[in-house]
């Protein structure tokens, strides 16, 4: 699978969120999208998913325009996980996970035992196997988010599109989720695009990063090259400080001179 974006404009009303975006992504690659609130990260992701019309430019999967791919095939090629989940009706955790199998079933087909096994395996990956019979309305925000990601794993698309997948997750589960999707990408059979808010996690887990600025401009490239102190200070309109220990780097909001002095005295340069 290869996702190709050429000269893409993304706008809401008269405001251009992203101007003339060009990028390519293939199996075995991952891309993080960073930007301030309202910069257009989620809007761009829904456009890449084919859920918003393209205003200018093109988006192709394997050289086929996104709009020309039949819905069922598109659901097999790309999976999209939004920021928030809406559950209008009562259902068990297992039933919600099984929704991910719908793109792979015939029109009147029911889920097979193999589909149930895949759903149970996905629940096991996100630590929710023991909750399979619980009502979705009894879940916490973090548990519901993990269930949404499990359903996406059950869907097994070639391209994962995740909008703030770490929302509501504690540190343990956030790292576990990133590890899960990193393993899928490392298999060479799938690709990943995710909207994040933490540049440190983007640098650690994603090969490439796209920075979206408030004026519609952007920077995209290797994460180690794109995620710099100057670029992130510009992106977030707040000074960031780079802490480095050997090959490891972390970015933190700039402190006042006294705290900055304490950081230097700690021995971390």
């Amino acid at each position: 699978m290869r996702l190709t974006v050429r000269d893409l404009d993304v706008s809401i009303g008269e405001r251009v969120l992203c101007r003339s975006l060009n990028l390519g992504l293939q199996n075995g690659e991952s891309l993080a999208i960073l930007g301030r609130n309202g910069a257009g990260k989620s809007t761009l992701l829904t456009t890449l998913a084919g859920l918003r019309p393209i205003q200018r430019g093109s988006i192709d999967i394997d050289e086929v325009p996104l709009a020309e791919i039949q819905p069922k095939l598109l659901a097999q090629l790309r999976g999209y996980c939004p920021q928030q989940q809406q559950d209008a009706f009562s259902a068990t955790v297992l039933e919600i996970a099984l929704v991910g199998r719908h793109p792979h079933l015939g029109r009147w087909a029911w889920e097979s035992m193999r589909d149930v096994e895949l759903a149970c395996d996905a629940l096991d990956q996100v630590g929710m196997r023991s909750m399979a019979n619980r009502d979705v309305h009894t879940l916490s925000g973090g548990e519901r988010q993990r269930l949404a990601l499990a359903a996406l794993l059950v869907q097994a698309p070639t391209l994962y599109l995740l909008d703030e997948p770490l929302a509501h997750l504690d540190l343990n589960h956030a790292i576990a989720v990133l590890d899960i999707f990193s393993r899928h990408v490392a298999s060479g059979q799938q690709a990943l695009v995710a909207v994040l808010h933490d540049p440190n996690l983007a640098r650690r887990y994603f090969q490439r990063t796209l920075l979206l600025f408030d004026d519609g401009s952007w920077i995209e490239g290797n994460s180690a090259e794109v995620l710099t102190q100057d670029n992130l200070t510009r992106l977030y309109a707040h000074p960031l400080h780079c802490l480095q220990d050997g090959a490891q780097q972390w970015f933190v909001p700039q402190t006042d001179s006294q705290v900055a002095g304490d950081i230097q005295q700690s021995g971390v340069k």
Side-chain angles (χ1 to χ4, degrees), residues 101 122 125-126 148-157 160 180-181 184:
R101 294 306 298 164
Q125 289 185 62
V126 301
L149 295 169
L152 196 66
L153 292 172
V154 175
Q155 183 179 342
Y160 292 112
I180 289 168
F181 283 96
H184 281 270

Side-chain angles (χ1 to χ4, degrees), residues 81-143:
C81 185
Q83 289 184 26
Q84 299 180 345
Q85 314 302 321
Q86 303 295 330
D87 298 300
F89 303 102
S90 178
T92 68
V93 165
L94 178 59
E95 288 169 338
I96 295 295
L98 280 169
V99 170
R101 294 306 298 164
H102 286 187
H104 305 279
L105 301 178
R107 185 182 297 272
W108 305 110
W110 289 90
E111 295 90 350
S112 67
M113 286 304 302
R114 177 56 180 162
D115 294 319
V116 174
E117 290 173 1
L118 291 172
C120 289
D121 178 68
L123 291 175
D124 191 47
Q125 289 185 62
V126 301
M128 296 187 67
R129 179 72 174 267
S130 63
M131 304 180 192
N133 293 321
R134 274 183 56 179
D135 191 297
V136 65
H137 290 149
T138 69
L139 299 180
S140 70
E143 289 168 341

Side-chain angles (χ1 to χ4, degrees), residues 30-182:
S30 57
L31 173 73
I33 302 177
L34 301 180
R36 297 177 65 187
N37 292 341
K41 304 182 298 297
S42 297
T43 304
L44 172 59
L45 200 69
T46 56
T47 304
L48 295 179
L51 302 177
R52 296 183 77 253
I54 297 173
Q55 296 158 311
R56 190 183 77 87
S58 64
I59 303 174
D60 298 345
I61 294 182
D62 292 334
E63 301 183 357
V64 179
L66 203 61
E68 296 181 9
I69 302 175
Q70 293 298 311
K72 182 174 182 178
L73 176 57
L74 185 59
Q76 295 173 5
L77 292 174
R78 66 94 180 95
Y80 167 70
C81 185
Q83 289 184 26
Q84 299 180 345
Q85 314 302 321
Q86 303 295 330
D87 298 300
F89 303 102
S90 178
T92 68
V93 165
L94 178 59
E95 288 169 338
I96 295 295
L98 280 169
V99 170
R101 294 306 298 164
H102 286 187
H104 305 279
L105 301 178
R107 185 182 297 272
W108 305 110
W110 289 90
E111 295 90 350
S112 67
M113 286 304 302
R114 177 56 180 162
D115 294 319
V116 174
E117 290 173 1
L118 291 172
C120 289
D121 178 68
L123 291 175
D124 191 47
Q125 289 185 62
V126 301
M128 296 187 67
R129 179 72 174 267
S130 63
M131 304 180 192
N133 293 321
R134 274 183 56 179
D135 191 297
V136 65
H137 290 149
T138 69
L139 299 180
S140 70
E143 289 168 341
R144 184 61 184 89
Q145 182 71 359
R146 286 153 56 200
L147 176 55
L149 295 169
L152 196 66
L153 292 172
V154 175
Q155 183 179 342
T158 307
L159 172 64
Y160 292 112
L161 300 172
L162 311 182
D163 194 357
E164 298 191 26
L166 309 184
H168 309 296
L169 298 186
D170 57 37
L171 180 61
N172 174 42
H173 288 113
I175 297 300
V177 163
L178 290 173
D179 284 339
I180 289 168
F181 283 96
S182 293

Side-chain angles (χ1 to χ4, degrees), residues 229 238-245 248-269:
Q229 182 172 301
H238 184 88
L240 270 76
H241 184 72
C242 180
L243 305 178
Q244 186 156 351
D245 183 11
Q248 299 297 317
Q249 285 187 339
W250 299 270
F251 296 98
V252 297
Q254 183 65 59
T255 59
D256 60 29
S257 58
Q258 178 63 47
V259 178
D262 292 341
I263 292 174
Q264 293 179 353
Q265 293 175 13
S266 71
V268 180
K269 300 180 180 180

